[in-house]
Amino acid sequence: MRTLIQRVLKASVTINNNKKAEIGQGLLILVGIGNEDTEEDIEWLTHKIANLRIFDDEDGVMNKSVIEVKGEILIVSQFTLMASYKKGNRPSWINAAKHNLSIPLYQEFCRQMAEAIGQKVQTGEFGADMKVALINDGPVTIFMDTKNKE
């Protein structure tokens, strides 16, 4: 699984001119699911993201997690994170999991993330043409790939 995590002041998802989801301070998480991804990837990501210390403490140092600041989370599926761009200039999506694998994993990731932070998470709509708006705070943007745990 690949995620792009952005610390935000606010974020929203609009589908067909209707606002589907909106959060205040917290994290916007774009998630791409690959053919080889499993529930182990979800467990690792959930723990890592929920406890990631990227929010400022009282001294202005990034030392608090989304849990500690009682931040909100918006999770948006994004198969384009699985792009392969080795050959040519047109990305290939061969590494992106098909719906029969990716939808259940996406739903489980959302469920585990909600459980980890102790509150409901907001979501986009899997497979929809979404308009994502955000105000990136910092900016703080972190890329995580469960196949390359740095």
Side-chain angles (χ1 to χ4, degrees), residues 2-53:
R2 293 179 181 167
T3 58
L4 188 70
I5 303 147
Q6 298 177 83
R7 186 179 76 179
V8 298
L9 295 176
K10 66 180 180 176
S12 65
V13 171
T14 302
I15 302 169
N16 295 326
N17 294 320
N18 294 312
K19 196 166 279 184
K20 161 89 169 73
E22 184 172 29
I23 64 167
Q25 179 191 30
L27 300 175
L28 168 62
I29 303 170
L30 306 176
V31 59
I33 299 168
N35 294 314
E36 306 298 319
D37 291 333
T38 67
E39 205 163 313
E40 286 180 23
D41 296 295
I42 293 170
E43 291 166 7
W44 183 84
L45 271 176
T46 300
H47 176 75
K48 193 58 108 171
I49 294 170
N51 295 289
L52 194 62
R53 295 174 13 189

Side-chain angles (χ1 to χ4, degrees), residues 83-122:
S84 174
Y85 41 83
K86 283 191 227 177
K87 197 167 127 184
N89 292 319
R90 184 174 186 268
S92 166
W93 317 118
I94 193 83
N95 296 325
K98 303 288 184 237
H99 284 185
N100 63 330
L101 175 64
S102 56
I103 291 173
L105 288 176
Y106 171 74
Q107 291 170 337
E108 181 61 14
F109 177 65
C110 293
R111 188 195 69 73
Q112 285 191 31
M113 188 57 69
E115 186 177 293
I117 67 167
Q119 64 175 303
K120 183 178 179 194
V121 299
Q122 299 295 313

